Amino acid sequence: MISSEKHINIETNTNLLSSNNSNIWELILDDSYKIVDLSHSFIKSFDLDNYSISEIEIKLKNNFLKSFINALSNKKEIFKAKLFSGNQYYKFFLNEIYHEDRIFYRILSYKQSEENIYKSIFESFHDVYYRTNLNGEILLVSPSVFERAGYNPEELIGSNVINFYRKIKDHKELLRMLKEYGEINNFETEFMKADGSICSVALYAHYVKDDDGNKIGIEGVLRDITEQKNNEESIKRYIQELYETKDTMEQNAFELVKLNLQLEDSENKLQELNANKDKFFSIISHDLRNPFSSLLGYAEMLYVEFEEMSKVELKEGIEIIFKSAKSAYELLTGLLEWSRVQSGRIEFKPENFSVNSLIDELIALNNLITSKKKITVANNIYNNINVFADKQMISTTIRNLLGNALKFTPRNGSINITADINNNSAIICIEDSGVGIKPNDLEKLFRIDIHYTTNGTSNEKGTGLGLILCKDLIEKNNGKIWVESEFGKGSKFFISIPLYIDAGVS
């Protein structure tokens, strides 16, 4: 009989199995595609109490595991599969997790209505998300359609998607492929914008099904690849000219190299967008859902067992609900702020301001935390250094770095803030006497494709987005951010900011 207890712990002291929600099925597979654990709800839903894990693997082999491996090889975050010998298809969400230098795969399935939790996040989606009924009438479209194609999203509701295809035959081909394969990846076609111009798009789409497996609509994501296609066409034209005009071969070769560099740059940007999308869906399917699961679980327990619970038990439940809601809010706030930076919707407003004064303001904002943990924070910037940068962005960056220093510094510790001048830049250093960072973790800190977060010395929670946001904001100000750390002794975080040319040091 399979135990429904969770038994594997990762570094953050949470479980690989992430949900107690009875409406969510969850499986954990290792890098050999072997089942490591199953959620209690999955076991109960399919009467598997009397089966061993190896017996369940045999039952899943023909249908589910084949679909999972296919999704993994095609880098799909969403896939559909049958379970056991039934005819009903289920929608699954797939993401990678890391434990002790190994990759594990968390696979979840839940009711369609739960996706409404993430509606506010999709409003900041960079590509265009849409959903139609089976007749092609648009039911939902992300606000990004205005920036990408010039359409007001509200005016598109009820319109038929076929009206936006440049070639109707492409829409017919898409429906044919959907009918044959169930979903489509990177289907290239052309759409008409509101101003009448044409854009090239790569389209991902699949059927939406109800709880009984009946097809009720189609949903998908459109990515504008016009620039990439234009570069490809330009390269084709120049290659042809090289063959036709031998006298200008050297000049055309030079132009070809330039265009290849442009194409490489375009592909790199596309890869970066894909990495952002992967991070986006990883946070949606894992990090954001965890606090909601705790919040809903304990709220339900309070609702059902309120009369039988003692005051101590009630206080513990309310505290967990508060912490879960706070964690979800902080993660959602960070995610939306990061999304605004990625989509270029934060206006850059550089100005002349004093670093010393800004540091004093930020230290004062953290007086409550420093008093609680008895940490000494010293502003040792003796010169009046003025910089020319976006003050709000720099304030957000230093506030994040100071917050991290407070989080990872134990009681009675110290934080020292200094600044120096190097050429035309101010170098600000925030040094703490905290726990430090392991050498193999340093390279993970600023990477968007690796989710890295640890608890503070008082078990403070993090979102894993703070340092990534800091890096983006500093780079927008033509600066740099880096770190030096010795595990067990503390860390030094540095940022460089352009000096105010007429001020310098007084």
Side-chain angles (χ1 to χ4, degrees):
M1 181 173 179
I2 299 173
S3 170
S4 61
E5 297 179 357
K6 304 171 184 177
H7 57 273
I8 300 180
N9 294 324
I10 57 179
E11 293 180 356
T12 54
N13 297 319
T14 61
N15 296 309
L16 286 180
L17 277 178
S18 60
S19 176
N20 293 317
N21 193 319
S22 61
N23 292 321
I24 296 178
W25 302 333
E26 185 170 3
L27 300 87
I28 303 294
L29 277 66
D30 64 16
D31 51 6
S32 300
Y33 311 147
K34 298 293 184 182
I35 295 176
V36 175
D37 210 348
L38 302 170
S39 67
H40 185 70
S41 59
F42 186 91
I43 295 169
K44 289 298 181 183
S45 295
F46 295 97
D47 297 324
L48 301 174
D49 296 82
N50 296 319
Y51 288 87
S52 67
I53 285 185
S54 59
E55 289 172 333
I56 294 175
E57 286 178 344
I58 293 173
K59 290 170 68 67
L60 288 172
K61 184 175 182 181
N62 290 332
N63 294 318
F64 173 78
L65 288 181
K66 285 183 179 179
S67 298
F68 158 71
I69 293 172
N70 180 64
L72 193 64
S73 63
N74 288 291
K75 298 182 179 180
K76 298 178 183 177
E77 300 92 350
I78 306 173
F79 69 98
K80 296 183 180 180
K82 294 180 181 179
L83 288 172
F84 311 118
S85 58
N87 292 321
Q88 183 174 351
Y89 280 87
Y90 298 92
K91 186 175 184 179
F92 293 92
F93 292 77
L94 165 66
N95 67 294
E96 295 181 356
I97 53 178
Y98 298 87
H99 169 58
E100 296 181 351
D101 297 326
R102 287 185 62 190
I103 297 176
F104 291 83
Y105 302 100
R106 175 176 288 129
I107 306 164
L108 306 100
S109 181
Y110 47 78
K111 291 182 178 179
Q112 192 76 13
S113 60
E114 295 195 17
E115 295 180 3
N116 291 331
I117 295 173
Y118 312 118
K119 183 178 178 182
S120 63
I121 300 178
F122 277 105
E123 291 178 353
S124 60
F125 199 40
H126 185 76
D127 299 322
V128 178
Y129 167 86
Y130 73 94
R131 181 178 294 180
T132 72
N133 60 21
L134 292 177
N135 295 324
E137 294 175 352
I138 298 173
L139 305 177
L140 180 66
V141 64
S142 64
S144 54
V145 72
F146 180 78
E147 182 180 352
R148 296 282 158 261
Y151 292 108
N152 187 321
E154 288 80 10
E155 295 176 353
L156 293 180
I157 304 302
S159 302
N160 198 297
V161 71
I162 197 173
N163 296 328
F164 304 98
Y165 279 82
R166 184 185 183 190
K167 300 176 183 178
I168 295 178
K169 68 176 184 178
D170 284 356
H171 181 251
K172 293 180 179 179
E173 176 64 11
L174 181 142
L175 294 179
R176 184 196 68 78
M177 293 176 66
L178 264 181
K179 187 175 182 180
E180 182 175 355
Y181 302 110
E183 65 177 358
I184 296 176
N185 272 312
N186 291 322
F187 181 88
E188 294 189 6
T189 184
E190 293 179 322
F191 270 57
M192 291 180 287
K193 294 185 176 183
D195 62 4
S197 62
I198 302 298
C199 65
S200 298
V201 299
L203 188 149
Y204 163 79
H206 63 235
Y207 282 116
V208 178
K209 297 181 180 180
D210 60 20
D211 291 339
D212 297 322
N214 300 312
K215 298 174 184 176
I216 59 174
I218 298 171
E219 68 176 356
V221 175
L222 299 175
R223 172 162 293 160
D224 190 334
I225 58 170
T226 304
E227 181 181 355
Q228 178 183 345
K229 299 298 289 185
N230 289 341
N231 285 335
E232 290 174 356
E233 290 301 318
S234 296
I235 289 175
K236 291 178 182 178
R237 288 196 301 270
Y238 275 93
I239 289 176
Q240 184 64 29
E241 289 178 9
L242 285 174
Y243 283 108
E244 294 174 351
T245 312
K246 292 182 180 180
D247 294 339
T248 59
M249 184 174 291
E250 289 186 1
Q251 178 62 30
N252 284 344
F254 175 73
E255 295 296 330
L256 180 60
V257 170
K258 287 175 58 179
L259 287 171
N260 272 319
L261 291 175
Q262 291 177 9
L263 180 59
E264 182 179 345
D265 181 63
S266 178
E267 289 175 349
N268 289 337
K269 290 179 180 178
L270 186 60
Q271 290 176 359
E272 183 179 352
L273 286 173
N274 279 329
N276 291 345
K277 180 199 69 174
D278 292 342
K279 178 71 174 178
F280 180 80
F281 279 113
S282 173
I283 293 171
I284 289 177
S285 62
H286 172 223
D287 300 292
L288 186 59
R289 189 177 49 75
N290 281 347
F292 274 109
S293 298
S294 298
L295 192 153
L296 292 172
Y298 278 94
E300 181 182 14
M301 184 180 70
L302 290 176
Y303 176 73
V304 174
E305 303 177 12
F306 181 83
E307 300 295 338
E308 291 77 23
M309 296 177 73
S310 67
K311 288 186 177 180
V312 173
E313 290 172 329
L314 287 171
K315 185 176 180 180
E316 289 177 353
I318 293 170
E319 182 181 6
I320 291 173
I321 289 175
F322 168 73
K323 290 182 177 178
S324 298
K326 183 181 178 183
S327 175
Y329 174 78
E330 290 175 350
L331 180 58
L332 183 59
T333 299
L335 185 61
L336 292 176
E337 190 169 2
W338 172 69
S339 176
R340 288 177 62 212
V341 174
Q342 290 297 309
S343 59
R345 287 184 288 172
I346 293 183
E347 187 177 355
F348 179 59
K349 297 180 179 179
E351 59 180 292
N352 169 35
F353 63 90
S354 167
V355 171
N356 209 317
S357 299
L358 178 61
I359 297 296
D360 285 338
E361 293 173 9
L362 295 176
I363 291 175
L365 286 175
N366 287 279
N367 280 341
L368 185 62
I369 300 175
T370 55
S371 298
K372 185 177 181 181
K373 295 185 73 172
K374 297 183 177 179
I375 295 173
T376 301
V377 181
N379 179 0
N380 289 320
I381 302 176
Y382 300 111
N383 295 323
N384 183 27
I385 299 177
N386 280 22
V387 295
F388 188 71
D390 188 301
K391 186 175 182 180
Q392 184 61 43
M393 292 184 183
I394 303 304
S395 175
T396 299
T397 300
I398 297 177
R399 186 174 68 248
N400 268 295
L401 296 178
L402 181 56
N404 283 347
L406 289 167
K407 183 166 71 170
F408 294 109
T409 299
R411 291 175 62 85
N412 300 313
S414 62
I415 297 172
N416 185 32
I417 303 175
T418 58
D420 203 352
I421 292 177
N422 184 14
N423 295 326
N424 292 321
S425 295
I427 311 297
I428 301 172
C429 173
I430 299 176
E431 179 182 3
D432 64 62
S433 62
V435 296
I437 305 167
K438 295 178 181 179
N440 59 340
D441 288 333
L442 286 172
E443 63 181 20
K444 303 176 184 177
L445 296 181
F446 303 105
R447 289 182 58 179
I448 187 64
D449 58 333
I450 296 179
H451 182 232
Y452 176 77
T453 180
T454 57
N455 289 350
T457 55
S458 297
N459 204 34
E460 302 98 325
K461 303 292 184 181
T463 65
L465 289 172
L467 290 177
I468 296 171
L469 179 61
C470 289
K471 180 175 181 292
D472 287 346
L473 293 177
I474 287 297
E475 289 179 351
K476 280 186 175 295
N477 284 271
N478 297 315
K480 295 181 180 179
I481 182 170
W482 67 97
V483 60
E484 297 174 1
S485 184
E486 186 174 353
F487 185 64
K489 292 188 177 180
S491 302
K492 294 180 180 179
F493 278 84
F494 299 87
I495 59 173
S496 68
I497 314 170
L499 282 174
Y500 181 59
I501 297 174
D502 293 335
V505 179
S506 62

